[in-house]
Amino acid sequence: MRFNAVALRSSNLKTIPRLSEDSKLNVMKLRDKGVLHDVFPSTAGGEITDLCNSSPQCVYAGFDPTAKSLHVGNLLVLMNLLHWQRGGHQAIALIGGATGRIGDPSGRNKEREEQNANVVEQNVISLSAQVQRIFKNHEKHLWKDKDNLKSILVVDNWEWYKNMNAVEFICGIGRNFRMGDMLSRVSVASRLSSEAGLSFTEFSYQIFQSYDWLHLLKKHNCRFQIGGSDQMGNIMSGHELITRVANKTVFGLTVPLITSESGDKFGKSMNNAVWLDPTMTSPFELYQFFIRTPDSQVEKLLNLLTFLSAGAVQDLLIKHTAKPEKRIAQEYLAEQVTLLVHGEEGLAAAKRATAVMYNKDLRVISEMDLNEIKSIFKGAPIVEILLQPGVTVQQAALAAKCFLNESDAVRIISAGGFYINNNRTQNPDEVLVQGLHMLHNDVSLLRVGKKNYWIVKWLK
Ligand SMILES: Nc1ncnc2c1ncn2[C@@H]1O[C@H](COP(=O)(O)OP(=O)(O)OP(=O)(O)O)[C@@H](O)[C@H]1O
Ligand SMILES: N[C@@H](Cc1ccc(O)cc1)C(=O)O
């Protein structure tokens, strides 16, 4: 899988004025890195700068628990919250225990399936823990400054809807929304003109996201909301509600959407997510995903998903371009993202797995337990074989069912298509040796051709 980030539109750049280096939140740095896509209201750049320079601000971003994990697309929004946190501001991650059940129509061409309340509840728990873990990893491994960071606040909007009276909500909040404005949102208009249409439930979504902002404004003086660029319609609705009822100016910021090569938004709806949960996308797979970034994309992703300044990205690219085959830039990107998402242990596991897959490093495999080997070679059959003295290469391969019959085994092994622990083994009658063919953990990794693996656990 590969992905592209939609480029920062130059027209938006003008609206965000440059900040002095000593500003609390150096928006200039974010702008130079292409991390900001849009600002609402579009002329508010100066005011945002002044507010950020004058005192710590509060910012929030929401994530709907429609899966048990966040994904790489969401990471861009989390990175933005982290930038604010680094600037001394209070960041809030809102997990939409209520909105996740309603379903945001933004960026969707059909109605979402109704979510089971228990599943949503479980997802809220796992997303909250995931966000906390990422912020912890950041503070532990990527924040070298002596200043303390304000802890991330994780809230669930089910908290303020669970006891809400429907009539009071419609009378008190619904009244402030004009049908014309609601119908004009891209997420609504595009669905209304489609065959799939739009239910009242999804149509009402923008009211809930707007009320969330109002709630957080009242409770935490939260004047900023950030989200992917598909969230601009919902953010504008919230802005309108607050302008009507709260006599406070608030601001929306969006980040570019990360898209696949075919231009689809990377996320749950498109079934192309790269997950942040290690049981869904292992640290090794996440690491490899970024190692495979094409050269044409790597600058953009270094800017979006690492904390390197725009200048430092350029320096790294100069080194990279001198020896592109070494993939220095991709390696840095993969390391930083894996460290942020999975911590030091996850990064170490990803590097160990990379060594197993791509080097003949027997030491690495022999230090792994069976579970780690299984997670690297997902889908490879695991075969338990009773160890007989004098067992040969051919006997082991047949016992593991690497070949259909003896003649296939002899032919393919002799032709050089069979490997034990990543070493080509061409003599079918060679007797297996402990420590070489059978590793210290009593495991052997058998391979036929380039990609077909069998994991053998020897029983003694
Ligand atoms: N590919 C992406 N690039 C940048 N931001 C993204 C991407 N995918 C999601 N986001 C942002 O992450 C935030 C949370 O999104 P959400 O939890 O609804 O995930 P999602 O993948 O967009 O879900 P779905 O595909 O079900 O709509 C939103 O601000 C959204 O715009
Ligand atoms: N609507 C956002 C998630 C969200 C939920 C509630 C909010 O208050 C804000 C944002 C999305 O689907 O991506």
Side-chain angles (χ1 to χ4, degrees):
M1 270 177 287
R2 304 244 164 94
F3 56 111
N4 320 300
V6 177
L8 175 64
R9 289 209 314 255
S10 56
S11 60
N12 297 317
L13 294 180
K14 292 181 218 120
T15 62
I16 309 164
R18 295 181 165 253
L19 292 179
S20 62
E21 278 306 317
D22 62 353
S23 64
K24 272 281 189 185
L25 172 73
N26 194 345
V27 176
M28 183 179 79
K29 195 169 67 184
L30 297 184
R31 188 195 61 179
D32 290 351
K33 281 163 69 64
V35 171
L36 294 179
H37 181 264
D38 246 329
V39 174
F40 186 82
S42 61
T43 51
E47 226 175 317
I48 296 175
T49 305
D50 290 345
L51 274 173
C52 289
N53 283 341
S54 63
S55 59
Q57 299 296 312
C58 178
V59 59
Y60 101 95
F63 305 87
D64 276 343
T66 43
K68 106 172 198 228
S69 172
L70 296 173
H71 54 75
V72 163
N74 302 139
L75 193 59
L76 196 48
V77 180
L78 287 174
M79 281 294 292
N80 210 290
L81 286 183
L82 283 164
H83 280 297
W84 282 77
Q85 192 196 36
R86 286 179 164 222
H89 305 294
Q90 176 66 60
I92 300 178
L94 177 150
I95 313 296
T99 40
R101 292 183 62 186
I102 296 165
D104 187 353
S106 310
R108 302 259 316 182
N109 49 20
K110 61 177 192 318
E111 183 95 9
R112 286 166 198 269
E113 293 205 354
E114 195 181 339
Q115 300 270 321
N116 173 292
N118 294 332
V119 174
V120 171
E121 212 175 299
Q122 282 309 309
N123 290 346
V124 170
I125 295 171
S126 40
L127 294 201
S128 307
Q130 203 168 57
V131 170
Q132 296 280 13
R133 206 165 42 243
I134 289 173
F135 275 75
K136 259 202 195 105
N137 286 339
H138 165 258
E139 188 156 5
K140 194 162 165 204
H141 306 301
L142 296 162
W143 179 244
K144 308 278 183 248
D145 213 300
K146 58 187 182 326
D147 288 347
N148 284 341
L149 296 169
K150 286 198 173 73
S151 297
I152 176 83
L153 203 61
V154 182
V155 297
D156 172 5
N157 60 10
W158 179 246
E159 282 309 310
W160 51 92
Y161 290 114
K162 66 182 177 199
N163 296 321
M164 181 85 80
N165 177 297
V167 176
E168 273 171 22
F169 187 64
I170 290 292
C171 289
I173 300 300
R175 201 175 291 285
N176 296 294
F177 288 82
R178 310 313 298 164
M179 284 301 291
D181 293 336
M182 290 180 78
L183 288 166
S184 72
R185 303 289 172 232
V186 177
S187 59
V188 171
S190 63
R191 280 281 288 286
L192 282 180
S193 59
S194 76
E195 213 177 298
L198 181 71
S199 70
F200 173 75
T201 307
E202 287 201 358
F203 174 63
S204 72
Y205 187 96
Q206 51 182 295
I207 301 184
F208 287 86
Q209 185 161 338
S210 302
Y211 181 76
D212 286 346
W213 197 359
L214 178 63
H215 175 87
L216 295 178
L217 176 73
K218 286 183 177 161
K219 191 153 182 209
H220 301 284
N221 195 25
C222 184
R223 298 178 70 176
F224 294 87
Q225 181 178 175
I226 57 179
S229 58
D230 60 340
Q231 291 300 306
M232 192 45 115
N234 292 339
I235 290 177
M236 285 160 75
S237 296
H239 185 276
E240 276 166 31
L241 170 68
I242 289 172
T243 308
R244 283 208 172 90
V245 306
N247 200 21
K248 265 247 163 115
T249 15
V250 292
F251 309 90
L253 299 158
T254 59
V255 300
L257 277 190
I258 299 181
T259 60
S260 67
E261 267 181 327
S262 55
D264 293 329
K265 171 183 150 190
F266 249 98
K268 290 166 276 189
S269 300
M270 293 300 172
N271 279 331
N272 56 3
V274 176
W275 302 103
L276 307 186
D277 181 319
T279 62
M280 294 163 79
T281 298
S282 71
F284 166 65
E285 287 167 318
L286 183 77
Y287 182 86
Q288 285 299 324
F289 174 76
F290 285 105
I291 289 283
R292 289 197 303 272
T293 307
D295 277 358
S296 58
Q297 297 292 313
V298 78
E299 175 179 0
K300 205 178 288 180
L301 292 183
L302 281 168
N303 274 312
L304 295 177
L305 296 174
T306 77
F307 292 99
L308 284 183
S309 66
V313 168
Q314 287 311 317
D315 292 346
L316 183 61
L317 287 173
I318 291 171
K319 284 192 196 138
H320 172 80
T321 315
K323 285 187 181 138
E325 71 287 356
K326 291 206 152 176
R327 302 184 85 71
I328 302 172
Q330 281 87 350
E331 204 173 308
Y332 185 84
L333 173 67
E335 270 184 19
Q336 293 293 298
V337 177
T338 311
L339 190 60
L340 178 65
V341 176
H342 297 301
E344 262 175 355
E345 265 182 36
L347 178 59
K351 288 194 162 183
R352 271 201 304 276
T354 302
V356 171
M357 285 297 261
Y358 301 109
N359 309 328
K360 292 179 186 168
D361 192 343
L362 296 188
R363 204 173 30 90
V364 182
I365 314 179
S366 67
E367 280 165 8
M368 289 179 171
D369 65 23
L370 196 57
N371 282 336
E372 191 168 356
I373 299 180
K374 273 196 238 167
S375 78
I376 300 171
F377 299 99
K378 265 190 193 156
I382 298 154
V383 199
E384 295 190 336
I385 306 178
L386 193 64
L387 181 60
Q388 309 277 7
V391 64
T392 65
V393 168
Q394 180 189 333
Q395 284 165 343
L398 285 170
K401 300 202 169 48
C402 301
F403 301 105
L404 286 177
N405 52 47
E406 216 176 301
S407 66
D408 273 3
V410 172
R411 183 173 50 79
I412 296 172
I413 295 171
S414 309
F418 186 66
Y419 301 76
I420 301 188
N421 300 328
N422 281 349
N423 286 308
R424 181 174 279 149
T425 315
Q426 271 179 281
N427 178 2
D429 298 324
E430 186 178 346
V431 173
L432 299 197
V433 175
Q434 186 77 45
L436 176 66
H437 301 108
M438 293 163 224
L439 300 173
H440 300 301
N441 48 6
D442 295 326
V443 168
S444 298
L445 192 63
L446 311 186
R447 167 154 68 94
V448 177
K450 279 206 165 122
K451 303 192 203 133
N452 303 308
Y453 286 94
W454 285 258
I455 301 165
V456 174
K457 175 78 188 159
W458 295 101
L459 303 178
K460 289 182 173 166

